[in-house]
């Protein structure tokens, strides 16, 4: 068995992480409570937005961990823990879905019984789109994903104390079982919480659209924390430009993947020109939403594409830091575009309520990182692939 | 031997680690023009050799953007300006539909351009030989050894020094490579030209055979030779030897409306009214249809002076007193059922278009013979 000769010494995170996290969390909670008191409908939409963002981030982080086990990737071993730190979002994010469940009628048109009775399409969809099955799906997805989170992350942690290859073998098997469950779960999340905002509309590519954006944000969060840890000199020295190059390349790849999926969805609907599909896009070109929709192309595709296209830019720490922050917010922009067009069909609404929920989300992620970091090792010291990661060169 | 020019001094190493160490030393020693040859890609060699990033990306960028521009401009020129076609009610510049094609052309040009730049700029085509070819050094480097090649172009280069330096690094089989003097680039030799000609003949012959002969041999012709009636051939199945069946007597197409007053043009003139509003849009439609269907005989300005006037009985002018006094319904009857030599145009122009044509005729009549009020109105 290969022995790792790397000696991990745990470094303290800068105090500012925890402090900023607490401050953001408190401000966010106050803003959220105020918002629910003053404008419950608008606050529900924002809460929904926060839920789908963090849920996608958590699930895709778990997916990244699973992907590393499945593909036997070497370069990412030392980064894996940062993705692992984000996976508890799988059961934290649903907290933000609970207020939405209490305001179902404001958010989901199909939850109105009388509306369904006069609507043939909704009647036909009601075996799927009804309150009890919706809740069953929600609980089942959160439950199954939490189970996989518990099993995979626990094995990864155990390996730190007992560097035994059997944990890697078990995790590879778990990851293989996870993938189909993950695919179905993230598709159902996107259908239930995003597509059913407009219950008459359907798009078969919608699940993968949400997946592409979420995985992109998972990579961006991973890259941002990695670069920051590198700046704080917490990340070990062996993680150099070759490792970061891969992060940049993956962000670049998934910017393209997202654009490819988004464009495919637009092209097919635009080409076929069927009224039951096109109205969704027409609504997104209503009033000031028009400029927001065109801006999406710029924000989530053209700018990150241009910023990351050249080879040196993918391993330039400063560029990576800026672009990961950019992409984190670009994905937010994307989800905001999906969600808030239903709230106000006439134009963009953006105010303290939306900002409050965004601050809340940032606080949650920072504090989560802070607390999990305190409990666990940043580097999987027992992983049999760590040596190869240390010696990784492009 | 004296007139041979030195190309480089080469040495071989046994392992990848040694070659990385050696290349670091070579850089440290100040050599700028040198190369490393390895049997497989060695990780970390780029950094050890202190290579600058390749300019290849810029070629790809320029060629790719050229492809984007060519694709978009060509499609815009053809589909929007030169021959505008309405396809499925889409705009004449349907950007989403152009994107996939633009993407393909961009990728195509970027890849072809990169390969051509590689061949002609970096490999210096048509020169396709290299002093290291056919050397013992290259034979070893492509199988099991790792080679360092110190080129004579380097300012620091000196044969004896270079050999001593390589020896100090621990290289084996150190030797001097001389440039090969060639009168003609090898791709212009008889053998190579002959090979090209042979390839061209074989490929074009094979293409001809496949497309003109092979496709008409079984089993490739099974789809063509089916039991069906081809265009302009006799059906042996139906007794009347037509393959197309007649309509059942009394059937009419969907939305069919019979034309009225077929036998009584005067009634048509009396009872039919032009249902269209007299406006710019309808006149424009009428003008388009008039120029397509009526002007070949009646002339562009309906003066009866068209390009066909000597080949047919002279078509009448539409500015006669008779025509001016005819009601719209009377003219409609002529377009619908024909008159004299003029056949029916009911199949070519729809009812609405016929009424629009009449509006355009009225406009022409007024434009060519304006009244006093028309001039006053113009002021």
């Amino acid at each position: 068995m290969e022995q790792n000769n790397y000696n991990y010494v745990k470094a303290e995170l800068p105090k500012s992480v925890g402090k900023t996290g607490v401050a953001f969390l408190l401000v966010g909670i106050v803003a959220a409570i105020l918002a629910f008191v003053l404008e419950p409908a608008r606050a529900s939409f924002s809460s929904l937005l926060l839920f789908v963002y963090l849920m996608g981030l958590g699930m895709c982080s778990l997916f990244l961990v699973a992907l590393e086990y499945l593909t036997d990737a070497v370069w990412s071993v030392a980064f894996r823990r940062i993705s692992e730190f984000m996976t508890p979002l799988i059961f934290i994010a649903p907290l933000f879905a609970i207020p939405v469940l209490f305001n179902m009628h404001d958010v989901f048109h199909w939850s109105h019984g009388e509306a369904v009775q006069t609507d043939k399409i909704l009647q036909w969809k009601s075996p799927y789109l009804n309150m009890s099955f919706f809740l069953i799906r929600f609980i089942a997805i959160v439950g199954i994903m939490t189970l996989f989170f518990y099993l995979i992350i626990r094995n990864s942690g155990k390996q730190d104390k007992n560097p035994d290859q059997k944990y890697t073998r078990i995790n590879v098997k778990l990851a293989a079982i996870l993938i189909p469950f993950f695919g179905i779960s993230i598709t159902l999340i996107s259908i239930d919480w995003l597509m059913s905002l407009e219950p008459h509309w359907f798009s078969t590519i919608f699940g993968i659209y949400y997946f592409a954006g979420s995985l992109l944000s998972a990579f961006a969060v991973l890259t941002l924390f990695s670069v920051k840890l590198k700046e704080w000199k917490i990340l070990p020295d062996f993680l150099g430009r070759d490792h970061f190059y891969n992060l940049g390349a993956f962000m670049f790849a998934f910017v393209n993947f997202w654009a490819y999926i988004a464009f495919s969805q637009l092209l097919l609907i635009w080409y076929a020109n069927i009224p039951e599909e096109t109205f969704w896009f027409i609504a997104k070109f209503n009033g000031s939403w028009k400029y927001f929709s065109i801006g999406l192309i710029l924000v989530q595709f053209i700018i990150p594409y241009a910023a990351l296209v050249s080879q040196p830019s993918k391993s330039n720490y400063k560029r990576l830091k800026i672009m990961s922050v950019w992409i984190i917010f670009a994905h937010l922009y994307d989800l905001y575009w999906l969600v808030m067009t239903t709230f106000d069909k006439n134009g963009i609404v953006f105010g303290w309520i939306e900002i409050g929920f965004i601050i809340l989300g940032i606080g949650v992620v920072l504090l989560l990182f802070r607390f999990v970091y305190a409990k666990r090792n940043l580097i999987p010291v027992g992983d049999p692939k760590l040596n190869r990661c240390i010696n990784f060169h492009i | 031997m004296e007139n041979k020019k030195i190309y480089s001094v080469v040495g071989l190493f046994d392992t990848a680690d040694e070659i990385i160490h050696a290349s670091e030393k070579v850089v440290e020693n100040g050599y700028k023009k040198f190369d490393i040859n390895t049997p497989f890609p060695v990780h970390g060699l780029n950094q050890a050799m202190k290579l600058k990033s390749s300019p290849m990306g810029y070629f790809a960028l320029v060629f790719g953007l050229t492809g984007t521009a060519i694709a978009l401009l060509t499609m815009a020129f053809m589909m929007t300006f030169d021959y505008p076609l309405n396809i499925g009610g889409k705009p004449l510049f349907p950007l989403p539909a152009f994107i996939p094609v633009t993407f393909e052309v961009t990728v195509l040009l970027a890849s072809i351009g990169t390969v051509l730049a590689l061949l002609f700029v970096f490999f210096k085509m048509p020169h396709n030989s290299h002093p290291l070819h056919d050397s013992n050094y290259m034979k070893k480097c492509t199988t099991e050894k790792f080679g360092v090649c110190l080129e004579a172009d380097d300012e620091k280069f000196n044969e004896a020094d270079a050999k001593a330096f390589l020896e100090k690094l621990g290289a084996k089989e150190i030797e001097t490579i001389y440039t090969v003097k060639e009168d003609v680039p090898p791709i212009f030799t008889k053998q190579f030209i002959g090979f090209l000609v042979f390839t061209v003949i074989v490929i074009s012959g094979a293409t001809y055979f496949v497309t003109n002969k092979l496709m008409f041999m079984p089993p490739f012709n099974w789809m063509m030779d089916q039991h069906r009636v081809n265009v302009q051939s006799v059906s042996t199945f139906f007794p009347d030897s037509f393959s197309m069946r007649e309509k059942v007597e009394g059937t009419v197409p969907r939305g069919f409306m019979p034309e009225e007053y077929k036998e009584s043009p005067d009634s048509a003139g009396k009872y039919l009214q032009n249902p269209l509003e007299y406006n710019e849009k309808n006149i424009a439609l009428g003008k388009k249809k008039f120029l397509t269907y009526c002007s070949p005989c009646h002339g562009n300005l309906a003066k009866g002076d068209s390009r066909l006037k000597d080949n047919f009985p002279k078509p009448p002018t539409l500015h006669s007193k008779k025509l001016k006094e005819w009601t719209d319904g009377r003219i409609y009857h002529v377009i619908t059922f024909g008159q004299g030599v003029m056949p029916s145009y009911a199949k070519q122009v729809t009812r609405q278009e016929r009424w629009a044509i009449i509006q355009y005729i009225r406009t022409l009549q007024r434009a060519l013979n304006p009244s006093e009020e028309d001039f006053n109105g113009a002021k």
Side-chain angles (χ1 to χ4, degrees), chain A residues 8 78 81-82 85 229 234-236 369 373 376-380:
Chain A
Y8 174 69
R81 279 290 148 83
I82 302 172
F85 291 176
L229 289 173
I234 292 175
L235 220 54
F369 187 80
Y373 180 86
R376 306 190 50 203
N377 288 341
L378 181 63
I379 305 295

Side-chain angles (χ1 to χ4, degrees), chain B residues 92-116:
Chain B
L92 289 177
F93 183 74
L95 187 59
F98 286 173
I99 297 273
V101 180
T102 310
F103 169 76
E104 304 284 351
V105 177
T106 306
V107 172
L108 181 73
L109 243 76
S111 47
I112 290 178
T114 315
V115 169
L116 288 183

